[in-house]
Amino acid sequence: MQEDSSRPDPADPARELMFLSGGGDMGAMMRAHDWSRSPLGHPRAWPQALRTVVGLILNSKLPMFVAWGPELGFLYNDSYSEVLGDKHPAALGGRFHDIWSEIWPDVGPLIERALRGEATFADRLYLVMNRHGYDEPTWFTFTYSPVRDENGEIAGMYCACVEVTDQVLAEKYRNEENERLRGLFAQAPGIMAVLRGPEHVFELTNQSYMQLVGHRQVVGKCVREALPEIVGQGFFELLDRVYASGEPFVGNALPVRLQREPDGPLEERYIDFVYQPIRDETGQVTGIFVEGSDVTARKVVEDELRAANRQKDQFLAMLAHELRNPLAPIMTAAQLLKLGRLDARSVAGASEIIVRQAAHMTDLVNDLLDVSRVTRGLVTLDKETLDLNVIVAAAVEQVRPLIDMRRHALTLQLSGRPAHVTGDRTRLVQVISNILNNAAKYTAPGGHVVLAVTVAGDRVTVAVRDDGVGIAPDVLPYIFDLFTQAERTPDRSQGGLGIGLALVKSLVALHGGTVHAHSDGLGRGSEFSICLPCAAQARPRAAGTTGAADGVQDNGNLRVLVVDDNTDAAQMLAALLEVQGHAVSVEYDAHGALARARDEHPDVLLLDIGLPDMDGYELARRLRAQPENAGATLVALTGYGQGQDRAEAQQAGFDHYLVKPADLNEVNEVLAQAEARR
């Protein structure tokens, strides 16, 4: 038989290693490798089954290796050399256990199963490998399969693997990022929700959204089922329009009525929000992202600010009206006096008009100052034990002229026994006279006013009832608010700045009491009641008469120096004092006053505080430093009347402090004291 020349010659070494040809870098390395120390021996002695497997893996682009023989000699291809890292090329022909000792506890059991004939598959197995000089987490997907020799016996195992570390880490990062975003979504301060499909099914909501709608189950439900109470409020229609058109919608401070508690009432909230369409990869709208904020608190504040601005504008209009009213007759009377053609009776009438209207303006300004001081906590009460019956009598005396002028029938119902309270006499008279004055003003002429004092337990109550125009129900809750004036007459002809009742409430509160208003409506009268705690025990101070006679007092002949940069004010005060028989000089600045005081040695100096060259406090200190004026009576006459102003005046050396426009009785009392000292 002729020999087949196409078969390799067993005697040819090159032909014996033909199965390693075409194996890339690893094939070349295997051909050139020193196999003397390998448990596999030289490739020429490898069994055919091993040769076949090695030829297969060398020509594969998938990372592969085969471990053969009792010591599992290790052979691999080019792709697997990248998996080995720095273990390559030393790993070629080495023992599997020695090469991957760090992961042997993880893969050893799988290898044993393969050597027993059981193929295994591992998906994304976590392995800590040391292939670059340090431990690193890795993940692999691979199969371990048994390899049999020519006799059918299992002689080794084969592996095809893919490193998925990058994919696992990327997926892990994505998951962590998604969880972080979910956490941010859930904890975001704004309301957020994701709706899917044309029925707007809730897919996600955050805590703020659930706080807005009330904690109920909404995820998985369409909005019409989850929030049935907003039917007819326009929100469902907006969602449908955004889904159909793909155009976002922005709403600002829109009201929504929600049933936030089971079986609870509808609550109105205000929200800023955006309905933003969600699109898929083809551009089709698949859902709506809802984002916004509950701005109810902001809306309430804005409404309150707008209301406050309206009240401010109304107050300024009322202030202008109230100041113009007395100014008109004052100007007219002054012009008549200037003409000098009036007889004595007409002069007296014009003067009375000026005095009366100026007093009215003074009352307005004093009310404003009182409100300012009370609201800033600058009012100090001079408390003593008082009988409220006596206080009521004093208040009635003040309001009696108005009551008589309007021909009202006033009925007093006093307690019949002492009604002791602890308070400031002046302030309590002011409170009760204010309430009584309102009753007289807002009751038609010939009406009825009842003032009652009752003592019950540890409380004393003063109630003022009238049959006047009454108070509208929508005004009643705000009747004690600052600058609130009930329009109880169509033309508001009674006037007022809307601060009197606010002042009453504040002063009563300072006394530890309360004040209430009641009315059955317009045309049905009203009742105001003041409730104060009874005094712990009666410790009345000796009562003295207050208020001087309205006529001019004769305080003798004093030397008086008036210092005021307001020429008209200085000259009019000087004229008034001269009429009473005093010798009066006038200066309009501090330096002139110092010179005149040094020459004339006045008994009394009436000093304005706001002088152009130095303030009145410094002037007082310099006057006190002059020996000839050290004992003079210094009187501060100023438009400032706060507690700190009075304290500063006392420190500067003033004996008395009068607030402009000073009452003539107060000036006369000061002069009388100066006369007594002389």
Side-chain angles (χ1 to χ4, degrees), residues 515-531:
V515 59
H516 301 281
H518 172 76
S519 176
D520 292 329
L522 292 177
R524 306 187 66 178
S526 58
E527 178 177 349
F528 287 82
S529 58
I530 301 164
C531 189

Side-chain angles (χ1 to χ4, degrees), residues 585-599:
S585 301
V586 178
E587 288 292 337
Y588 306 108
D589 59 61
H591 288 92
L594 285 169
R596 187 178 288 270
R598 190 164 40 245
D599 295 337

